[in-house]
Amino acid sequence: MQPCSRAHLHDALCAQTRLAFIICTVGADDAGDADLTRGMVGDINLFFHEIHDGGSEDGDSTTPAPSDGAAALPRRLAAEFNIMIADAAHRRRGLAREAISLLARYALEALPARAEIARFEARLDATNHASRHLFEGLGFSLRRELAVFGQIEL
């Protein structure tokens, strides 16, 4: 992953946006090659939304933060992963696990001091057993089922 400045991350979080990265594979022969597009196999996103106490069935409600980003107390954030390994030949090789772990660590280390990630989340198609197994292996657990959308939230 290419470094992201603290100012850029701070602006992204205040604007309720996301971090997005392309997942690439680089072989020994490609180590000095600046063109990584040959090794692009997927992408990973981390969407941030503020958590406010009360208001929903699980005790949290999420609403957009004020546009000026001003908050007297540190902001509690949920960070939702979205990942895709598009190239089937590269699935089940640990790339998604590594990308999730790296992005989680990066977000925790680079997060502005006045905000904290209270939890990481993943929303999956309820029939995507491989993704559910991946996230559960990383310590996620079922938070709720979203039957109307055929999804689960971990």
Side-chain angles (χ1 to χ4, degrees), residues 36-48:
L36 294 177
T37 58
R38 283 192 327 237
M40 291 179 12
V41 296
D43 70 314
I44 185 168
N45 300 279
L46 194 58
F47 295 90
F48 296 93

Side-chain angles (χ1 to χ4, degrees), residues 84-138:
M84 174 188 61
I85 305 297
D87 186 345
H90 288 88
R91 293 182 189 149
R92 300 180 108 25
R93 292 182 159 188
L95 293 173
R97 178 180 297 276
E98 183 176 4
I100 292 166
S101 297
L102 286 170
L103 186 51
R105 185 172 59 218
Y106 178 73
L108 289 170
E109 291 174 359
L111 193 66
R114 51 178 258 224
E116 69 167 299
I117 296 176
R119 68 174 179 255
F120 287 101
E121 302 173 340
R123 189 168 292 168
L124 312 171
D125 184 295
T127 63
N128 189 339
H129 303 294
S131 288
R132 183 173 182 168
H133 180 74
L134 166 68
F135 280 100
E136 286 177 342
L138 289 166

Side-chain angles (χ1 to χ4, degrees), residues 53-72:
D53 292 329
S56 74
E57 62 196 49
D58 63 358
D60 295 326
S61 67
T62 55
T63 57
S67 60
D68 64 3

Side-chain angles (χ1 to χ4, degrees), residues 1 4 6 11 15 18 22-23 47 60 64-65 73 77 83 85 89 93 113-115 139:
M1 286 192 268
C4 178
R6 262 190 194 279
D11 291 345
R18 67 183 173 142
I22 301 297
I23 300 171
F47 295 90
D60 295 326
L73 300 173
L77 301 173
I83 186 164
I85 305 297
R93 292 182 159 188
R114 51 178 258 224

Side-chain angles (χ1 to χ4, degrees), residues 128-151:
N128 189 339
H129 303 294
S131 288
R132 183 173 182 168
H133 180 74
L134 166 68
F135 280 100
E136 286 177 342
L138 289 166
F140 287 69
S141 58
L142 182 65
R143 288 178 36 85
R144 63 183 164 176
E145 294 182 22
L146 306 164
V148 69
F149 298 113
Q151 296 178 328

